[in-house]
Structure formats: structure tokens, C-alpha cells
Amino acid sequence: LRLALQSVIEASATSEVVLIGDTNEFTSTSSDIITSYLELPGNTTMSTSLEQTCCFDNGFSTWGAFDRIIANFGTVMETVVLLDSPLPLWAQQVNPVTQTKGAFHKSIKGILKI
């Protein structure tokens, strides 16, 4: 991902990046660390707060802040967790044979102020 981002940044002559994704990084990994690893331009990291969005199958554990919106510009990022508890029935997938729960993630919305 780092190389792909660098390629797009160079080809488009932009320096502003917004990353929206399931980072698979635990709550102990800050968004600043992700920004640094990706070598995003500038010294600014705006991020949604680290919310318990992963996953239905583990009860949305405190370590499960995988889902993030990160930008390397702006002044503040507000966070809204969508589909908070209780989850709608369609999000509560359980295999009828094995009783295994699905790994549904709660979605988040970031409001970036410039």
C-alpha cells in the first residue's frame, strides 16, 4: 500500500491523502504510526477516534479499532459510529449449522474540518 500511495502522490502531484479502511491494526497502534509507516507527506495526522468497530464475532472487543479514516491535512476530525448497538438483525449473521458468528464491522463516518 505504501508504494501504491507514493506512486499516486507522485503521478498526481497531490500531497493531500485520505485513507479509509479496515487497517487490521489494534487499538495499541495509533493512526500517527500508520501515517508514518505509509510515509504520507507533511506532519499532520487527522484521524477518526479509535472505536470498537470489530467485530460481531468477538463482541466488539476493546482491541478492535481496525476501521479508520486518516488524513494528512485538516484541523480536526470528528467521528460518528454508525449502526451502534443493538445491531440490526441483518448484521447479526450466525451460521445455522455451526453457530459461528460473522465478522461484521460497525461502520464509521469521519467529518474532516479543513
Side-chain angles (χ1 to χ4, degrees), residues 5-62:
L5 280 171
Q6 293 302 320
S7 175
V8 170
I9 289 167
E10 290 172 15
S12 65
T14 188
S15 61
E16 295 178 336
V17 177
V18 177
L19 172 70
I20 303 172
D22 174 356
T23 64
N24 284 339
E25 293 291 348
F26 296 104
T27 306
S28 59
T29 302
S30 72
S31 294
D32 284 322
I33 291 173
I34 294 171
T35 301
S36 177
Y37 172 78
L38 294 174
E39 298 177 3
L40 297 184
N43 297 318
T44 300
T45 300
M46 293 292 115
S47 175
T48 49
S49 55
L50 305 185
E51 302 290 340
Q52 298 170 340
T53 57
C54 177
C55 304
F56 175 60
D57 60 345
N58 66 34
F60 300 101
S61 297
T62 57

Side-chain angles (χ1 to χ4, degrees), residues 56 89 92-102:
F56 175 60
L89 290 177
Q92 300 178 40
Q93 296 179 335
V94 179
N95 183 305
V97 176
T98 65
Q99 296 301 302
T100 304
K101 291 182 176 181

